Amino acid sequence: MKILWLFAHPDPRSLSGALKEEGLRTLEAHGHEYRVSDLYAMKWNPVVDATDYGHDPTDRLHVGPASEHAYTHGHLSPDIAEEQSKVTWADTVIIQFPLWWYGMPAILKGWFDRVFIKGFAFGHTDPETGRPLRYGDGRLTGKRAMVITTAGARAATLGPRGVNGDLNDLLFPLQHGTLWYTGMSVLPPLLIPSADRTTPTAYATAATRLRERLHTLPTTDPLAFRHQNTGDYDDDLLLHPHLTPTPAGPSAHYTAPPPPHHP
Amino acid sequence: MKILWLFAHPDPRSLSGALKEEGLRTLEAHGHEYRVSDLYAMKWNPVVDATDYGHDPTDRLHVGPASEHAYTHGHLSPDIAEEQSKVTWADTVIIQFPLWWYGMPAILKGWFDRVFIKGFAFGHTDPETGRPLRYGDGRLTGKRAMVITTAGARAATLGPRGVNGDLNDLLFPLQHGTLWYTGMSVLPPLLIPSADRTTPTAYATAATRLRERLHTLPTTDPLAFRHQNTGDYDDDLLLHPHLTPTPAGPSAHYTAPPPPHHP
């Protein structure tokens, strides 16, 4: 396999850094190819700006059209183009980060803001039906993605009854709204909990779980998100009423519930 | 009232910029005081880094303890301290942004990553019970917060049946996991939909809705999130089974559903 490993922690000596190294060793041992985007080490700029697009600053900036135009005409900022070439090369993208305020660190959020632009990651239509290709169908269909996240909280507090909300619901904007939106198959996330109190035993458990998930990267069933274009949504892109549970929520957009994400 | 208006759009000539100006005029007309953090105009740095904390770079960086230490000892980066002083001053925080990849632009996510640190925004305990003060009780209790977001999508597609997921679920990490976590009362978000196709009529409607929401800032009922410390969660911080709906999801953490967010 060809794996792009996105990494977003400021210190390589962290638990996150140790797990990344463990992961890369595992991939190597299995004969996979990989590339790493270590966003802190790269001093990645996460801020969308007119200069990304060679945009005339006296003109009002419409981010969507400006980014699509720059992509199509080949005058995107080179750091963005380089990341896009890595995504194109990869068949699998690992997204590893510490859970900060129940989401991605800004440096990583801004990787998606800047790299996943119209023309590259979305904005295509089915030539036969004219319908937009997204949520299960899109430019990145055929690729797999998996989140690996370390969190200070205990695992159960990030479960269905946990005070913090369920991890899959917290990751819904990323897993469904970003990765699945572009057509990628999203594997269940790997949660490494209680990350502020890691003992050698806890580290060994975490490393074992990581290696297992990397062994099964090609075969693990992805999250069962609904496809936009297979009849579950009406022409206004609303879920048919008989498919909408009460109460509604992210689970409405799955055909089967995700597996539990803690051991 | 004393309002801090956080703003995160790269172009002041945008729809977002026009609505911000409309909002500030409205606040002024009502005799409110306000301060603005226009993150792009300030060239805000959203990336958490050891230099924020005067941290010795030869030592491993533990973000939580390092940031708390710097806060307590007064050697935080001055740009962070300045934003904290604005939060302390304000009784209400407006968080305005275009919805990018179903969340905040990176520059704004990194405002929370850097400003809402332990000691300032959380990490306190009840002196009587010793329990952590969070989710409804915390350092920022008594303050109100409201999200204003512009989105390219049509309103219904961000509703309970919409293909993108419900806006309140997409904002759960911010509204519940960040604002409510620190004790703030979170008003229902104001969604300005179809933002890529704004006509003069649509702008007039959006401006009217914005003015109404600003008029009622002090009186609007906040989202009915459950408090961590009033018996809905057990000692392991899990919701009692009889309070967990099926399917579970963000709605489990409300005592009453949020109002519809589109007209």
Side-chain angles (χ1 to χ4, degrees), chain A residues 17-32:
Chain A
L19 291 169
K20 180 197 62 162
E21 291 303 315
E22 188 92 38
L24 297 180
R25 277 194 302 274
T26 305
L27 295 180
E28 204 154 285
H30 284 72
H32 298 310

Side-chain angles (χ1 to χ4, degrees), chain A residues 9-11 13-15 40 44 46-50 55-63 100-107 109-114 116-117 121-122 134-135 154 156-157 159-166 169-174 176-179 181-182 228 233-241 244-253, chain B residues 9-11 13-15 40 44 46-50 55-63 100-107 109-114 116-117 121-122 134-135 154 156-157 159-166 169-174 176-179 181-182 228 233-241 244-253:
Chain A
H9 194 287
D11 195 328
R13 296 161 295 186
S14 58
L15 170 63
Y40 271 93
W44 174 255
V47 179
V48 166
D49 197 87
H55 182 78
D56 179 349
T58 62
D59 272 358
R60 180 174 154 189
L61 174 67
H62 293 271
V63 173
W100 285 355
W101 287 117
Y102 301 103
M104 290 180 278
I107 201 171
K109 175 55 166 62
W111 187 91
F112 288 100
D113 289 347
R114 292 182 71 227
F116 271 33
I117 56 178
F122 67 102
R134 55 187 181 194
Y135 289 120
R154 287 172 294 113
T157 69
R161 289 170 48 210
V163 69
N164 301 306
D166 187 86
D169 294 340
L170 297 166
L171 296 178
F172 191 74
L174 171 60
H176 180 266
T178 308
L179 302 168
Y181 186 99
T182 64
Q228 176 170 301
Y233 300 91
D234 65 21
D235 289 345
D236 291 327
L237 301 180
L238 306 186
L239 200 61
H240 289 295
T244 315
T246 304
S251 65
H253 302 283
Chain B
H9 193 287
D11 195 329
R13 296 161 295 186
S14 58
L15 169 63
Y40 271 93
W44 173 255
V47 178
V48 165
D49 198 87
H55 182 78
D56 179 349
T58 63
D59 272 357
R60 181 175 153 187
L61 174 67
H62 292 270
V63 173
W100 286 356
W101 287 117
Y102 301 102
M104 290 181 277
I107 200 171
K109 174 55 166 61
W111 187 92
F112 287 100
D113 289 347
R114 293 182 71 226
F116 271 32
I117 57 178
F122 67 100
R134 55 187 181 193
Y135 290 119
R154 288 170 294 113
T157 69
R161 289 171 48 211
V163 70
N164 301 306
D166 189 88
D169 294 339
L170 297 167
L171 296 177
F172 191 74
L174 170 60
H176 180 266
T178 309
L179 302 168
Y181 186 100
T182 65
Q228 175 170 303
Y233 300 92
D234 65 20
D235 289 344
D236 290 327
L237 301 179
L238 306 186
L239 200 61
H240 290 295
T244 313
T246 305
S251 65
H253 303 283

